[in-house]
Every structure is written in C-alpha cells, then in structure tokens.
C-alpha cells in the first residue's frame, strides 16, 4: 500500500522545560476529525531492522487521549505593517516613493508599498505588474485604475520608484529610474496618465511594505521578493528633484516639508520594529522576518559592518517564502510534574495512518538532580536544518551521497508546501540564502523515525534522529544523565551546567552562539570533562534573537563549507551585530574546544579507525581496557556501516589542538566521495578525495586540561551508529563505557 | 562523454555504492550531478522496505511524479533501475 500525504503536524512553544513549567502544543489536522495524543520519552528513533529498533517510553499525562482536530493555516511571506493614521486619511495629493531592488520581477504581481483596505479592496499600491514593470493601482472600492510603465525592471538592480498623485489634475505619474544604465537596455520611464479614481484611504488604512492586505484566507497577498530602501510618503505631488531629494537617509531642514512619513529601516535592525523619522511617528513592525542588516542602494563597499555605517543599511529584503511564527492556537498543554526525570520527550499525535512528534527537553529540577553527566541536545543544529530542502532543490545532493535521494512523506510535504519555511541550508525562491530559521512551525525533520538523504547508507539518519543512537546508548549503559537544550545553555550560560562534571554532545553539534561556546569553555576551565561525540563540531557562529523566541540567525560569511554564501557587506548578524561565519575564521577553531576540527566530508559509506601509537601511552590505558592492540575500531554500524564517516575532524596544532593531545586512533579507507573541506584548500589541487588525500581521516583524541579535567573526541558524525552493534557489545561501545566511567570519577586527571 | 564500456555498468550493478573504479566514477558524476528537472528520486512507501521511482520537475512545490507502479524491495534494485534509465538517456543504449 502506498503512503498517503501528511495529515497531521504540530509544534510546541518551547523547546525545553523544567518541572513546574508548562509547554503548549499546537496541532493542525489537515482535514477535520479526531486525533489522539500521548506523551513519550524518546529513546531510539531508528527503525532500521538491522539495529535495536524503535524505542520509546510512554508517560501518563493529562493531555493523553482523543482531541478534536482542526486545520490551522500557515501564512508565509515577510512584510512590514504600519497602522493607519489620520495623516494617511487626510491625503489629497501624495507621493509614494522608495528605492527597490527586485529579485523576481515578472514572477506575478508584487506589492512594494501599499495603503490598502483589505475588506473594500481600496486605497493605493505601488508595485510590479505581472511582467515586472512598475505599476500603481488606485481604487475607491467601486472602481479601480492601474497604470504601468510597461518596462520590466532588471532583477537585482536598484531603481528609484515613485507614484505621484495629483487630485486636481486627476493624474498619476510613475517614475522608474535605474541607478545603473546599460547600452540597449530600456528600463527607464516617467509617464503621466489621467485617472478618474481617487484612492479611498481612511484612518484605518494600514501602510504595508512587501505585500498587499487581502480579505482572503491569507492576510497578505501579492508578496514581494526583493529589497526596499528608504520608503517615503509625501503629502504633495512632488517633482523628480523633490523625490530624489527625499532619498537622503536622514531628512533635515526643508527636506522635511510635506513629509508624512520617512521610514528608516536602519533604525532598530535588531528588533521587529520599523522606525519613521517623520513628524507623525508612523512606526510599525515586521512580520515573518524580512532580512535586515542588508546593503542599501547607497552602500559604498567601504564599510562591511552595518553598525559603523547604518545609513548604508536602510534596506530590508522581503521574501514570499519566509516564515517566522506559524501562530497556531494551542491544542493542549503540559505542566511538567515535580520529580519528572530529565530527558528528550515528545508529544506524539496520530491521525488515521499519519503521526507527528513534537520533541522537547525536560531539564532537571535546579538543585535537585544527582546526575553528574549532561547530554546537550543540539537544538541550534535542529533549527539550522529545520525543514531542509536539498534533495529536491540542490543538484549536488546526489553527488555528495553517491545515492539516489529517498523522499519520505515529510520530505515530500515540505517540498510541496514551501510556506512551512526553509532551513539555513536552503535558498529562498529568489536564490538568496536563508539566514533566519525558526522552531515556531512544524519542523518535520526534527522527528524520531525520520530518515534523511544525507545520512549515508544504512539507517540514513542525520542530526535529530541520528542523535537518538547516543541517547539509546546512554539509556542502555545505565549511566545517570540529564538533558539540556542549546537554548538553555545560551540563556543561562555556565549556570545551566553547574550541577554537572561531564558533558556529552551529539553526533553533530555544529552551531554555537557566543554564550553557548563561552559556557562550555568556562565549564572546562573549572575542571569539567567534555565528551564530544560527533563530527564537524563548534563550527558556525549563530545568534539568537533577543526578544523573538525560537528564532536563530546564521550568516554564512567569508569561507567554509557553505550551502550558500552571504553577500559581501552582510557578514554581521542583524540580531546582535556580531560578526558571523565560522568560529575558525574568528580565531577560535573547534580544535581549541575539543582537540579536533572539520576536515573532510562524504555521505556514502563510513569506515573504521585504527589505533595510533599514542593509544599505547599509559595515560590512555583506561580508554582501551578490553580492546585489542590491532583491532579495527568500529568497522560496523548503522550509519554507512562504520564508526568513521559523513563528516570527520582532525587535529591541527596551528588551529589550537593542545600540545598534550594524544591521537588515539585515526580512520582510513574512505572513498573518493569524501573530499577535503573547502576551508582547508587555498589553491585548488587534484587528489583531495579519500582514496588519495592523507588529510581525509578522522582522529579520536584525548587530552587532560590544566584544571584536572579532560576531553575525549570521536571526530565523526557516524560514530554513534556503531554503539548498538552486537547488542551493545563491541569496541566502540566499550571505549565509550571506559571513557564515561573514568570521566565521572572525580579524581583529577594529570 | 563517449559511450563507456558495458563492463562499467556491471561494476555498478555489483556494487552501487562504495569504492568505484575511476572510469565508473566519471559516469556517476555525469548521472548524479544532473540538474533538478527530470531528476530521479526514490519515493519511500514503507521505511526500509518499499520504494517507488519518482521524478522531480525542477520547479519548487510541484508534486513528485511517480514514474511507474513498480515497487522496489531493496535500494540496490532501485539504484540499478535508475542507472539503466540514465544510461539510456545519456548513451542511448538499453542495458540488460
Ligand atoms: Fe551540518
């Protein structure tokens, strides 16, 4: 029987809760009917029949049982809204102007700036017509008149645009002025036409940027793709010199004459507010996170940091497929009872033959836990990958994996339903990289049972579900362990880690805010022990929004292994002003934290490690107890058939590997799908594949810290997939058991 | 690329994933690197058990087109079917 489409999905307002706190779950069934809900503790999400199989623990709770389902819609599309005002309503003559950089002209009608009443379909909107030419529409609710320049704008070029309405003359004039001219390209226009419709604008008519209010299912239509810089509304029919004069970033003196509003998007870049420098204070707010801290039309290239020249960053970039908060109503809630054990949980909902899981962390009760080890649930990584679309969007996907991509039900759903938003591995429809990601929407690859194209041969797991291999091993091993999310560490810093002496990380803890990285650094500096279980770790710097929950930013700046490249001049996070990109490019390579850093990747089959001379050092004896001298380590496993694979890391003293590091084992025998990462290559050279290049290997390392702590790093994403082999009786599982046991022993190292 | 020796197809059939000869790799770069329009994918009907052959249109949001009703019970079998179809597209020759 073939699988049908997705029928139920949901998300939670929080990603981590402590006993006593409550969490809301928001569910949509895509047609009416009843669904059932229950609470589970997630243990092992891998359904591969070659492994131990799916494991969860049902937990009794108040919301368990049947619920009435209903459809909750998702409305994507970034835009900004300013509430109506008497000054708008009192306009007779007016000039509506902006500087715009469209990215998809010709891809349907798109509204740039609108003073528009959704219900009566009246007002005025300046936009692009279906052919991509500048147009203005005036409506009094009964009659509607549209004037167009008839000359399409060039994609990714700046234009000064304006609509000038003269009521007495009953004319509208459109100006479309390119900032760059080409021979044989005719994209400049000033036309005046007679119109017999006076736009109907009341004090309740909002001003909207990047879309048009509608009375339909979706609140905003005619969504715009591209940038808008320095929009202004004047209460006079300005001539061209008057329009260009008001393009100054800051209006002074007589420039302010006739100004109703002069929005300055360079104010409040780190907020969801937009600022009017005009006399009426027509401030507004953004919806669905238009991209800020982007270059305006006046960017000179002399300044790369928006904080140093904010007047050159007065633009916002709008996208029809950007989504922040789905905004669904709460379907049911949970107040976490006192004494509930810490772990990774999920609200599990089922509807007909479909199901969904809404995962979240339950933290330990502050001061009450006796566990000394904590597993860091890499929620920043889950957000970076949230609803990723590479197998359907990126031609290189099947080259990376050497496999035909497999699309499950959730993959097909996010492919067909772009309004559920994309990941920081995707591009928007207009080709710009997605630098914002939110968890306030169903994230359909952050799910147990989910299989992903990037997960190599075998179980084909990546990130969230692959991480359950580690959770399952912790559970099977019997070591007491609490769980914390990245957001906890970001918010509370080292305090969140205070009860613990051992941190154990995920298969791929790649995304770190400064607060998160500093917390781990401080933990190490008080003698804390770190077990880095994955590959490609401590790699990207990220920023969380300071007021909007569940929202994260990644600027793929400068260099590194990147799914897209940030534009020059746009390397600084809009949320915090911090410089984005690889931690390595900021002089803080992963080698400083865990001894190794990203060196090669491939996504076909995994390999094994062989012991290196350092593994026979007496300092490492405890790690190899019960393991033979010439045993291959991890030549088995559910992820590509080996412990060393997908993304692997190596030592590099120049990048900060401590001088006392023991290289215990290194992988070998990788295929040519494994390639040296981009940031290791200056001049391109042949022979960068696993069969030829000596750098293509992962290093398992151990070192003691000056404070009596220690670090152990596996340096491979595939590592966790080997833990359960042979009913957990294998050299990878044994090595981990040896390490955890010693790391939990308070006896100082060295 | 000129039509390669059929022995390379046999090499692929024996081992569709893992270490390949350089000659087979060249073919796979061509096959797997193709653009999204018409790209073959597998549609999972039952995890770890059943797949069908699908094709993308290259346009975001278009449903994945199911190419045939044939159900594959191993990924290797499906990989071989895609390889044969791509061989036919690029070299005009039926394998088997
Ligand atoms: Fe990654």
């Amino acid at each position: 029987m073939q699988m049908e489409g997705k029928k139920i999905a949901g998300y939670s307002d929080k990603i981590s809760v402590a006993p006593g706190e409550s969490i809301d779950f928001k569910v949509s069934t895509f047609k009416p009917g009843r669904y059932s809900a229950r609470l589970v503790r997630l243990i092992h999400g891998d359904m591969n029949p070659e492994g131990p199989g799916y494991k969860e623990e049902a937990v009794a709770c108040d919301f368990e049982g049947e619920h009435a389902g209903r459809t909750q819609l998702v409305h994507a599309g970034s835009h900004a809204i300013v509430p109506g005002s008497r000054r708008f309503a009192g306009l007779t003559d007016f000039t509506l102007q902006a500087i715009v950089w469209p990215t998809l002209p010709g891809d349907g009608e798109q509204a740039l700036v609108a003073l528009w009443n959704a219900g009566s379909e009246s007002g005025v909107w300046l936009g692009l017509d279906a052919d991509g030419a500048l147009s203005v529409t005036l409506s009094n609710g009964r009659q509607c008149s549209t004037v167009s320049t008839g000359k399409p704008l060039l994609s990714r070029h700046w234009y000064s645009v304006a609509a000038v309405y003269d009521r007495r003359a009953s004319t509208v004039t459109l100006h479309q002025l390119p900032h760059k001219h080409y021979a044989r390209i005719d994209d400049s226009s000033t036309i005046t036409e007679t119109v017999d419709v006076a736009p109907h604008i009341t004090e309740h008519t909002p001003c909207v940027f990047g879309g048009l209010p509608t009375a339909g299912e979706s609140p905003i239509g005619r969504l715009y793709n591209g940038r808008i810089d320095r929009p202004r509304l004047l209460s006079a029919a300005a001539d061209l010199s008057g329009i260009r004069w008001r393009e100054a970033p800051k209006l002074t003196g007589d420039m302010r004459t006739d100004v109703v509003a002069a929005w300055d998007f360079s104010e409040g870049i780190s907020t969801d507010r937009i600022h009017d420098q005009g006399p009426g204070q027509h401030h507004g707010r953004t919806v669905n996170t238009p991209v800020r801290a982007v270059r305006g039309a006046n960017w000179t290239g002399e300044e790369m940091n928006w904080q140093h020249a904010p007047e050159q960053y007065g633009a916002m970039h709008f996208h029809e497929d950007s989504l922040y908060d789905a905004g669904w109503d709460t379907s049911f809630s949970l107040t976490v009872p006192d004494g509930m054990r810490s772990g990774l949980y999920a609200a599990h909902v089922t509807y007909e033959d479909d199901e969904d899981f809404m995962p979240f962390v339950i933290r330990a009760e502050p001061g009450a836990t006796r566990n000394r080890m904590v597993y860091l649930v890499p929620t920043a990584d889950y957000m970076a990958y949230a609803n990723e679309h590479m197998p359907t969007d990126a031609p290189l996907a099947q080259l990376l994996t050497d496999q035909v991509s497999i699309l499950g039900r959730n993959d097909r759903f996010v492919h067909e339903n772009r309004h559920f938003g994309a990941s920081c591995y995707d591009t928007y429809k207009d080709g710009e990289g997605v630098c914002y990601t939110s968890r306030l929407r169903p994230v359909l690859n952050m799910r147990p049972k989910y299989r992903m194209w990037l997960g190599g041969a075998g179980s084909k797991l990546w990130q969230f579900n692959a991480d359950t291999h580690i959770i399952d091993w912790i559970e099977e091993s019997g070591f007491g362990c609490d769980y914390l999310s990245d957001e906890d560490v970001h918010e509370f810093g080292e305090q969140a880690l205070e009860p613990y002496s051992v941190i154990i990380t995920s298969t791929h803890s790649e995304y770190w805010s400064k607060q998160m990285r500093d917390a781990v650094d401080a933990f190490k500096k008080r003698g804390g022990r770190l077990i880095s279980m994955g590959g490609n770790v401590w790699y990207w710097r990220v920023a969380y929004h300071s007021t909007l929950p569940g929202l994260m930013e990644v600027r793929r700046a400068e260099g590194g292994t990147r799914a897209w490249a940030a534009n020059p001049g746009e390397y600084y996070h809009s949320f915090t002003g911090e410089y984005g990109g690889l931690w390595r490019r900021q002089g803080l390579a992963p080698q400083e934290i865990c001894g190794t850093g990203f060196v090669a990747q491939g996504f076909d089959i995994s390999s094994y490690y062989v012991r290196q001379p350092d593994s026979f050092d007496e300092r490492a004896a405890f790690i190899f107890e019960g393991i033979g001298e010439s045993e291959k380590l991890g030549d088995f496993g559910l992820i590509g058939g080996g412990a060393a694979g997908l993304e692997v890391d190596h030592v590099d003293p120049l990048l900060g590997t401590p001088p006392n590091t023991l290289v215990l084992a290194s992988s070998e025998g990788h295929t040519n799908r494994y390639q040296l990462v981009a940031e290791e290559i200056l001049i391109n050279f042949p022979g960068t594949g696993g069969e030829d290049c000596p750098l293509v290997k992962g290093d398992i390392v151990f070192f003691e810290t000056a404070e009596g702590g220690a670090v152990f790093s596996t340096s491979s994403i595939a590592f966790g997939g080997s833990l359960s082999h042979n009913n957990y009786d294998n050299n990878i599982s044994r090595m981990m058991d040896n390490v955890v046991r010693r790391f939990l022993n308070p006896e100082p190292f060295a | 690329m000129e039509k390669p020796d059929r022995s390379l197809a046999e090499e692929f059939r024996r081992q569709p994933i893992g270490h390949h000869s350089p000659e087979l790799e060249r073919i796979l770069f061509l096959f797997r690197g193709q653009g999204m329009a018409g790209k073959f994918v597998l549609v999972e009907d039952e995890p770890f058990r059943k797949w069908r052959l699908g094709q993308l249109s290259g346009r975001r949001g278009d449903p994945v087109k199911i190419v045939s009703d044939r159900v594959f019970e191993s990924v290797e079998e499906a990989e071989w079917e895609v390889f044969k179809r791509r061989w036919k597209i690029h070299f005009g020759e039926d394998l088997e």
Side-chain angles (χ1 to χ4, degrees), chain A residues 385 425 462 508 510 536 647:
Chain A
Y385 281 99
Y425 287 81
W462 183 263
H508 188 30
E510 176 182 10
N536 187 3
E647 298 183 8

